[in-house]
Amino acid sequence: MTQATDAPPRSRKAPRRSSRKKRVFRVVALVLLALLLIAGGAGWWAYSHLNGNIDSVDLDQAIGVDNRPAKVVAGAQNILVLGSDSRAGANAELDHGDVSGARSDTAMLVHVPEGRKKATAVSIPRDTLVTRPECKDGDGKTVKTANRVMFNSVYSVAGPACVVKTVEQMSGIRVDHFVEVDFAGFKGLVDALGGVNVTIEKPINGGSGGLKLDPGTHRLDGTDSLKFVRTRHGYGDGSDLGRIGLQQEFMMAMLSEIKRQDTFGNPARLYKLADAGTKSLTTDSELGSLKGLSDFAQSMKGVDPDTMETIMLPVAYDKIDRNRVIAAEPQAGQLWEALRNDRTIPASAKKSPATGG
């Protein structure tokens, strides 16, 4: 259920389109960091149970060692982060249209240079047309290569390992780790917190998910939080950009709630949150345990998500289908080469013809 509060709407300027697109990737990184810290902090308690919550994928086995790019800079780390949206079962009521299965709604390749004091996140637009390589799906069946497929469809057709293989093929960069954060997993996390306050400046008028909220501040339970982050047609102009804004709003509000409740000072609540949070994670096999997550979080503690440089993969509108984009060259090639070799990204590699940037 939703509950209106007496808190006044926050005063803020409308963000620029480019800033809003960039912030969502910082938000996903922040949520990932929060889950890692929750899992690591609770590792001393009920280790076996929490360990069993985490799904993992052996990338070398799924992709094949010989089919992967070589590591160029030993000390650097490349992490593929997916914000996935389950579109079946518990999420059938959400505002996503008539699409079944799951898709990777948010994808970014996070490059952490040697020394691990900063990070660069390259966002890959979900409508980018790519060549999907031959892959094995979750059942071990071969999925044949296909040209000109939408990037976010790779996940639903062939699973997360194939997304990793696709990114490695298009970038030439070895992906060291893979982390998937499922939006559906946040339902239990929100309920464990007792709800999350969100503030909106425009009304939400229902859409397929049926959520209706007036402008102002509302406290959402887990069920309505899921509807909130998936709202599209009932908010603003009905675009994905508006939905991204709502997802940002919710995720930042959830992090604020975790901090406000002093979660790490309350063992019972910490376990409850860790139980819910780890259920929303799928990782590569090296990170597929509380120890793996905790060690990884410790190794990355010098990286501040707020200072992360966010870059959108340079893209241009496809000449055949203007509703899709393709990687723009030579910019994309320059970007991938700089990251492969742990070098400063040239300004020319950050310009995207599709956005005029």
Side-chain angles (χ1 to χ4, degrees):
M1 61 178 292
T2 62
Q3 179 179 344
T5 72
D6 295 330
R10 289 175 296 178
S11 176
R12 62 180 181 180
K13 295 180 180 179
R16 294 182 300 174
R17 291 170 66 91
S18 60
S19 297
R20 291 179 69 183
K21 287 181 179 179
K22 288 181 178 180
R23 285 208 319 271
V24 70
F25 301 103
R26 290 196 184 98
V27 169
V28 172
L30 283 165
V31 171
L32 171 60
L33 179 60
L35 292 177
L36 289 174
L37 291 175
I38 288 171
W44 61 274
W45 199 35
Y47 182 94
S48 178
H49 174 74
L50 296 178
N51 232 29
N53 285 345
I54 305 168
D55 290 329
S56 63
V57 177
D58 187 329
L59 295 179
D60 282 338
Q61 181 178 12
I63 299 174
V65 177
D66 296 334
N67 296 325
R68 308 189 67 189
K71 184 80 173 177
V72 177
V73 180
Q77 288 281 296
N78 298 293
I79 307 106
L80 182 64
V81 179
L82 300 180
S84 71
D85 175 28
S86 177
R87 296 166 185 252
N91 277 340
E93 78 278 8
L94 303 184
D95 194 6
H96 50 58
D98 297 323
V99 181
S100 61
R103 297 197 179 203
S104 52
D105 272 8
T106 301
M108 63 178 176
L109 183 64
V110 180
H111 174 73
V112 183
E114 189 175 13
R116 305 188 183 184
K117 297 298 182 184
K118 58 181 181 179
T120 300
V122 178
S123 62
I124 303 174
R126 65 182 193 166
D127 291 343
T128 305
L129 295 177
V130 299
T131 297
R132 188 188 67 228
E134 182 176 293
C135 296
K136 298 286 187 182
D137 65 14
D139 296 324
K141 297 179 181 178
T142 299
V143 178
K144 294 183 178 179
T145 186
N147 298 318
R148 292 178 57 82
V149 301
M150 282 177 54
F151 177 76
N152 76 327
S153 72
V154 176
Y155 182 102
S156 60
V157 172
C162 195
V163 180
V164 172
K165 188 174 182 179
T166 300
V167 171
E168 289 187 338
Q169 177 178 272
M170 66 192 291
S171 68
I173 294 174
R174 175 67 171 250
V175 174
D176 299 292
H177 295 295
F178 153 76
V179 178
E180 175 190 345
V181 182
D182 188 350
F183 284 126
F186 291 121
K187 179 180 183 296
L189 193 57
V190 173
D191 286 336
L193 285 167
V196 169
N197 285 342
V198 295
T199 301
I200 55 174
E201 296 179 348
K202 299 177 182 177
I204 294 178
N205 296 316
S208 301
L211 182 65
K212 294 185 178 182
L213 297 174
D214 294 327
T217 299
H218 304 266
R219 192 164 187 85
L220 306 182
D221 63 10
T223 298
D224 282 337
S225 291
L226 279 179
K227 294 179 180 179
F228 185 85
V229 299
R230 289 307 309 155
T231 291
R232 175 180 175 183
H233 300 296
Y235 181 74
D237 62 2
S239 69
D240 272 336
L241 186 60
R243 177 164 58 184
I244 287 173
L246 291 178
Q247 291 172 355
Q248 293 171 355
E249 178 75 34
F250 171 74
M251 291 180 183
M252 294 302 287
M254 185 177 67
L255 288 174
S256 296
E257 188 71 24
I258 291 173
K259 183 177 180 181
R260 186 187 69 81
Q261 293 189 16
D262 188 23
T263 299
F264 299 101
N266 184 326
R269 180 170 289 145
L270 178 61
Y271 173 77
K272 195 173 182 181
L273 290 176
D275 188 31
T278 51
K279 287 177 181 176
S280 71
L281 289 180
T282 301
T283 72
D284 63 276
S285 54
E286 288 186 32
L287 299 184
S289 68
L290 285 180
K291 185 179 186 304
L293 285 173
S294 181
D295 289 348
F296 180 67
Q298 286 297 315
S299 73
M300 293 294 168
K301 65 182 180 181
V303 179
D304 182 356
D306 286 334
T307 63
M308 181 185 298
E309 181 181 18
T310 53
I311 303 170
M312 187 178 77
L313 174 68
V315 292
Y317 288 111
D318 182 59
K319 293 181 179 179
I320 299 174
D321 185 351
R322 296 287 292 179
N323 293 317
R324 303 288 179 259
V325 295
I326 57 173
E329 297 295 350
Q331 297 96 319
Q334 293 171 349
L335 172 63
W336 296 135
E337 182 180 10
L339 294 182
R340 268 196 309 271
N341 294 284
D342 217 5
R343 296 173 182 166
T344 301
I345 301 170
S348 60
K350 301 178 184 179
K351 294 181 179 179
S352 185
T355 61

